[in-house]
């Protein structure tokens, strides 16, 4: 993390370095710093789709209400799905989490179903995780990620 911090300090407009620093902060469970880092990365490099996805995921699924931002999470997830024409299962999964966070469980289920269909047999673990979240949505419960390691 120290090296990335130095790179970001010396090159504040380096969105990719900021993105990697934010990823490091997530692994260290420093979510407020990661949120700020992803926002800075997107400010410098708006086309960093993985940064937008990571930010949307945290803002939609964090268990601490103070760190969630339902409107921003949904706007980011919708933008990602629009850019990729609803063909990226990870972004559709994030959209489902953001929709459920806003209480739109019907559309969260639809987005989850699209993500599952696109994964196909490629990733059983990812598909199983989406199926588990889909069950929450069917019960009217949003997904909350408890661990960030």
């Amino acid at each position: 993390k120290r090296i990335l911090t130095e790179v970001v300090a010396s090159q504040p407009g380096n969105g990719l370095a900021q993105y990697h620093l934010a990823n490091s902060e997530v692994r260290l469970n420093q979510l407020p710093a990661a949120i700020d880092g992803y926002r800075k990365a997107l400010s410098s490099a708006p086309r960093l789709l993985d940064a937008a996805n990571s930010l949307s995921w945290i803002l939609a699924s964090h268990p601490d209400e103070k760190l969630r931002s339902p409107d921003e999470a949904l706007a980011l997830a919708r933008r990602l799905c629009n850019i990729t024409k609803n063909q990226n299962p990870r972004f559709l999964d994030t959209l489902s989490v953001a929709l459920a966070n806003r209480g739109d469980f019907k559309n969260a289920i639809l987005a989850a179903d699209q993500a599952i269909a696109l994964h196909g047999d490629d990733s059983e673990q990812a598909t199983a995780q989406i199926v588990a979240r889909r069950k929450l949505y069917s019960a009217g419960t949003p997904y909350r990620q408890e661990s960030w390691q």
Side-chain angles (χ1 to χ4, degrees), residues 53-120:
N53 191 59
S54 296
L55 178 58
S56 179
W57 187 273
I58 294 169
L59 296 177
S61 69
H62 198 280
D64 184 348
E65 185 178 341
K66 293 180 203 126
L67 292 183
R68 286 196 307 271
S69 179
D71 293 335
E72 184 180 1
L74 187 56
L76 286 164
R78 283 190 169 141
R79 177 177 160 261
L80 290 167
C81 289
N82 286 336
I83 289 170
T84 58
K85 300 184 182 345
N86 292 323
Q87 294 302 302
N88 184 307
R90 286 184 359 192
F91 298 163
L92 285 162
D93 184 23
T94 300
L95 177 63
S96 76
V97 172
L99 287 163
N101 187 53
R102 293 285 312 269
D104 187 353
F105 297 106
K106 177 183 171 195
N107 285 315
I109 290 167
L110 292 173
D113 287 345
Q114 282 183 282
I116 291 165
L118 286 171
H119 267 302

Side-chain angles (χ1 to χ4, degrees), residues 28-57:
L28 294 170
N29 205 29
Q30 298 171 344
L31 279 296
I35 290 169
D36 184 53
Y38 288 130
R39 286 179 176 144
K40 287 178 181 174
L42 289 169
S43 176
S44 297
R47 303 278 306 167
L48 270 176
L49 302 186
D50 286 334
N53 191 59
S54 296
L55 178 58
S56 179
W57 187 273

